Short mmCIF file of all heavy atoms in Angstrom, two decimals:
data_model
loop_
_atom_site.label_atom_id
_atom_site.label_comp_id
_atom_site.label_asym_id
_atom_site.label_seq_id
_atom_site.Cartn_x
_atom_site.Cartn_y
_atom_site.Cartn_z
N SER A 1 -10.85 -2.43 5.07
CA SER A 1 -9.59 -2.36 5.80
C SER A 1 -8.70 -3.58 5.58
O SER A 1 -7.52 -3.54 5.91
CB SER A 1 -9.86 -2.20 7.29
OG SER A 1 -10.63 -3.30 7.78
N ALA A 2 -9.26 -4.67 5.04
CA ALA A 2 -8.49 -5.91 4.91
C ALA A 2 -7.52 -5.81 3.74
O ALA A 2 -7.87 -5.34 2.65
CB ALA A 2 -9.42 -7.10 4.71
N VAL A 3 -6.29 -6.26 3.96
CA VAL A 3 -5.28 -6.32 2.89
C VAL A 3 -4.69 -7.72 2.85
O VAL A 3 -4.70 -8.45 3.84
CB VAL A 3 -4.16 -5.28 3.12
CG1 VAL A 3 -4.68 -3.87 2.90
CG2 VAL A 3 -3.55 -5.41 4.51
N THR A 4 -4.17 -8.08 1.67
CA THR A 4 -3.68 -9.44 1.43
C THR A 4 -2.20 -9.43 1.10
O THR A 4 -1.74 -8.55 0.36
CB THR A 4 -4.46 -10.09 0.27
OG1 THR A 4 -5.86 -10.04 0.56
CG2 THR A 4 -4.04 -11.53 0.06
N ALA A 5 -1.48 -10.38 1.63
CA ALA A 5 -0.05 -10.50 1.35
C ALA A 5 0.19 -10.61 -0.16
O ALA A 5 -0.53 -11.32 -0.86
CB ALA A 5 0.53 -11.72 2.07
N GLY A 6 1.22 -9.93 -0.64
CA GLY A 6 1.58 -10.02 -2.05
C GLY A 6 0.99 -8.93 -2.91
O GLY A 6 1.36 -8.81 -4.08
N THR A 7 0.05 -8.14 -2.38
CA THR A 7 -0.49 -7.03 -3.15
C THR A 7 0.38 -5.80 -2.92
O THR A 7 1.09 -5.69 -1.92
CB THR A 7 -1.95 -6.73 -2.77
OG1 THR A 7 -2.03 -6.48 -1.36
CG2 THR A 7 -2.83 -7.94 -3.08
N ARG A 8 0.33 -4.82 -3.85
CA ARG A 8 1.28 -3.73 -3.84
C ARG A 8 0.59 -2.38 -3.59
O ARG A 8 -0.41 -2.06 -4.22
CB ARG A 8 2.03 -3.67 -5.17
CG ARG A 8 3.19 -2.68 -5.19
CD ARG A 8 3.85 -2.64 -6.55
NE ARG A 8 4.46 -3.90 -6.93
CZ ARG A 8 5.67 -4.28 -6.57
NH1 ARG A 8 6.42 -3.49 -5.81
NH2 ARG A 8 6.16 -5.44 -6.96
N VAL A 9 1.15 -1.61 -2.67
CA VAL A 9 0.68 -0.25 -2.43
C VAL A 9 1.25 0.65 -3.51
O VAL A 9 2.48 0.69 -3.72
CB VAL A 9 1.11 0.25 -1.04
CG1 VAL A 9 0.81 1.72 -0.86
CG2 VAL A 9 0.42 -0.57 0.05
N ILE A 10 0.39 1.37 -4.23
CA ILE A 10 0.88 2.21 -5.33
C ILE A 10 0.77 3.70 -5.02
O ILE A 10 1.21 4.52 -5.84
CB ILE A 10 0.14 1.88 -6.65
CG1 ILE A 10 -1.37 2.10 -6.51
CG2 ILE A 10 0.43 0.46 -7.09
CD1 ILE A 10 -2.13 1.86 -7.80
N SER A 11 0.20 4.05 -3.86
CA SER A 11 0.22 5.45 -3.46
C SER A 11 -0.03 5.54 -1.96
O SER A 11 -0.68 4.68 -1.37
CB SER A 11 -0.86 6.25 -4.20
OG SER A 11 -2.15 5.94 -3.74
N ASP A 12 0.56 6.54 -1.35
CA ASP A 12 0.35 6.86 0.06
C ASP A 12 1.01 5.84 1.00
O ASP A 12 1.83 5.02 0.58
CB ASP A 12 -1.14 6.99 0.36
CG ASP A 12 -1.79 8.07 -0.50
OD1 ASP A 12 -1.42 9.23 -0.36
OD2 ASP A 12 -2.66 7.72 -1.33
N ARG A 13 0.59 5.87 2.25
CA ARG A 13 1.23 5.08 3.30
C ARG A 13 0.17 4.55 4.25
O ARG A 13 -0.76 5.27 4.61
CB ARG A 13 2.23 5.96 4.07
CG ARG A 13 2.86 5.33 5.31
CD ARG A 13 3.70 6.40 6.01
NE ARG A 13 4.39 5.88 7.18
CZ ARG A 13 3.83 5.79 8.40
NH1 ARG A 13 2.56 6.17 8.57
NH2 ARG A 13 4.53 5.32 9.41
N ILE A 14 0.30 3.29 4.64
CA ILE A 14 -0.63 2.70 5.59
C ILE A 14 0.14 1.91 6.65
O ILE A 14 1.28 1.48 6.43
CB ILE A 14 -1.65 1.74 4.91
CG1 ILE A 14 -0.92 0.70 4.04
CG2 ILE A 14 -2.66 2.52 4.10
CD1 ILE A 14 -1.86 -0.32 3.41
N VAL A 15 -0.49 1.77 7.79
CA VAL A 15 0.03 0.92 8.86
C VAL A 15 -0.90 -0.27 8.98
O VAL A 15 -2.13 -0.11 9.09
CB VAL A 15 0.12 1.68 10.19
CG1 VAL A 15 0.64 0.76 11.30
CG2 VAL A 15 1.02 2.90 10.05
N VAL A 16 -0.33 -1.47 8.97
CA VAL A 16 -1.11 -2.70 8.92
C VAL A 16 -0.83 -3.56 10.15
O VAL A 16 0.33 -3.75 10.53
CB VAL A 16 -0.78 -3.51 7.64
CG1 VAL A 16 -1.54 -4.84 7.63
CG2 VAL A 16 -1.11 -2.69 6.40
N ARG A 17 -1.90 -4.05 10.77
CA ARG A 17 -1.76 -5.02 11.86
C ARG A 17 -1.92 -6.42 11.28
O ARG A 17 -2.92 -6.73 10.62
CB ARG A 17 -2.80 -4.80 12.95
CG ARG A 17 -2.65 -5.80 14.12
CD ARG A 17 -3.81 -5.74 15.08
NE ARG A 17 -3.91 -4.44 15.74
CZ ARG A 17 -4.95 -3.64 15.63
NH1 ARG A 17 -5.99 -3.98 14.87
NH2 ARG A 17 -4.98 -2.49 16.28
N VAL A 18 -0.95 -7.30 11.49
CA VAL A 18 -0.97 -8.66 10.95
C VAL A 18 -2.05 -9.48 11.66
O VAL A 18 -2.16 -9.44 12.89
CB VAL A 18 0.42 -9.34 11.12
CG1 VAL A 18 0.39 -10.77 10.61
CG2 VAL A 18 1.48 -8.54 10.39
N THR A 19 -2.84 -10.21 10.88
CA THR A 19 -3.96 -10.97 11.46
C THR A 19 -3.80 -12.48 11.32
O THR A 19 -4.67 -13.23 11.75
CB THR A 19 -5.29 -10.56 10.80
OG1 THR A 19 -5.18 -10.75 9.38
CG2 THR A 19 -5.62 -9.10 11.08
N GLN A 20 -2.71 -12.94 10.70
CA GLN A 20 -2.52 -14.38 10.50
C GLN A 20 -1.12 -14.80 10.90
O GLN A 20 -0.16 -14.03 10.75
CB GLN A 20 -2.75 -14.76 9.02
CG GLN A 20 -4.16 -14.52 8.52
CD GLN A 20 -5.16 -15.47 9.14
OE1 GLN A 20 -4.79 -16.55 9.60
NE2 GLN A 20 -6.43 -15.09 9.14
N GLU A 21 -1.02 -16.04 11.38
CA GLU A 21 0.30 -16.62 11.66
C GLU A 21 0.95 -17.04 10.34
O GLU A 21 0.26 -17.24 9.33
CB GLU A 21 0.16 -17.82 12.59
CG GLU A 21 -0.38 -17.50 13.97
CD GLU A 21 0.56 -16.67 14.82
OE1 GLU A 21 1.75 -16.57 14.44
OE2 GLU A 21 0.12 -16.10 15.83
N PRO A 22 2.28 -17.21 10.30
CA PRO A 22 2.96 -17.63 9.07
C PRO A 22 2.41 -18.95 8.55
O PRO A 22 2.13 -19.88 9.31
CB PRO A 22 4.42 -17.79 9.52
CG PRO A 22 4.56 -16.91 10.71
CD PRO A 22 3.23 -16.94 11.40
N GLY A 23 2.22 -19.01 7.24
CA GLY A 23 1.74 -20.24 6.61
C GLY A 23 0.24 -20.44 6.69
O GLY A 23 -0.28 -21.43 6.18
N GLN A 24 -0.47 -19.52 7.35
CA GLN A 24 -1.91 -19.66 7.51
C GLN A 24 -2.69 -18.53 6.85
O GLN A 24 -3.89 -18.39 7.06
CB GLN A 24 -2.28 -19.71 9.01
CG GLN A 24 -1.66 -20.88 9.75
CD GLN A 24 -2.00 -20.85 11.22
OE1 GLN A 24 -2.75 -20.00 11.69
NE2 GLN A 24 -1.44 -21.79 11.97
N GLY A 25 -2.01 -17.74 6.05
CA GLY A 25 -2.65 -16.59 5.42
C GLY A 25 -3.58 -16.97 4.29
O GLY A 25 -3.67 -18.13 3.86
N PHE A 26 -4.25 -15.95 3.79
CA PHE A 26 -5.23 -16.12 2.70
C PHE A 26 -4.57 -16.78 1.49
O PHE A 26 -5.08 -17.72 0.91
CB PHE A 26 -5.78 -14.74 2.36
CG PHE A 26 -6.83 -14.74 1.30
CD1 PHE A 26 -8.12 -15.13 1.58
CD2 PHE A 26 -6.54 -14.33 0.01
CE1 PHE A 26 -9.10 -15.12 0.60
CE2 PHE A 26 -7.51 -14.31 -0.96
CZ PHE A 26 -8.79 -14.70 -0.66
N LEU A 27 -3.40 -16.27 1.12
CA LEU A 27 -2.70 -16.79 -0.06
C LEU A 27 -2.22 -18.22 0.16
O LEU A 27 -2.27 -19.05 -0.75
CB LEU A 27 -1.52 -15.87 -0.39
CG LEU A 27 -1.10 -15.80 -1.86
CD1 LEU A 27 -2.27 -15.40 -2.73
CD2 LEU A 27 0.03 -14.81 -2.03
N ASP A 28 -1.77 -18.53 1.38
CA ASP A 28 -1.33 -19.90 1.69
C ASP A 28 -2.47 -20.90 1.53
O ASP A 28 -2.31 -21.97 0.95
CB ASP A 28 -0.78 -19.97 3.12
CG ASP A 28 0.44 -19.10 3.31
OD1 ASP A 28 1.48 -19.41 2.71
OD2 ASP A 28 0.36 -18.12 4.06
N ARG A 29 -3.65 -20.53 2.05
CA ARG A 29 -4.80 -21.43 1.94
C ARG A 29 -5.24 -21.55 0.48
O ARG A 29 -5.64 -22.63 0.04
CB ARG A 29 -5.96 -20.91 2.80
CG ARG A 29 -5.67 -20.92 4.28
CD ARG A 29 -6.97 -20.82 5.08
NE ARG A 29 -7.75 -19.68 4.69
CZ ARG A 29 -7.60 -18.47 5.20
NH1 ARG A 29 -6.68 -18.25 6.11
NH2 ARG A 29 -8.38 -17.47 4.80
N MET A 30 -5.17 -20.46 -0.23
CA MET A 30 -5.57 -20.47 -1.63
C MET A 30 -4.67 -21.42 -2.43
O MET A 30 -5.13 -22.22 -3.23
CB MET A 30 -5.49 -19.06 -2.19
CG MET A 30 -6.15 -18.87 -3.54
SD MET A 30 -6.23 -17.11 -3.91
CE MET A 30 -7.06 -17.18 -5.50
#
């Protein structure tokens, strides 16, 4: 169920609940 900012949905539709505050996401830490 986990999704990462910056990745692209290429089919269908999903609803996502945000789990990180701005600047603290997976990509920011990386």
Side-chain angles (χ1 to χ4, degrees):
S1 60
V3 290
T4 304
T7 56
R8 188 182 297 275
V9 172
I10 59 177
S11 72
D12 302 297
R13 173 186 182 275
I14 52 176
V15 178
V16 177
R17 181 190 297 119
V18 178
T19 56
Q20 296 291 337
E21 297 292 346
Q24 299 178 4
F26 182 77
L27 209 56
D28 297 293
R29 294 198 306 273
M30 192 170 181

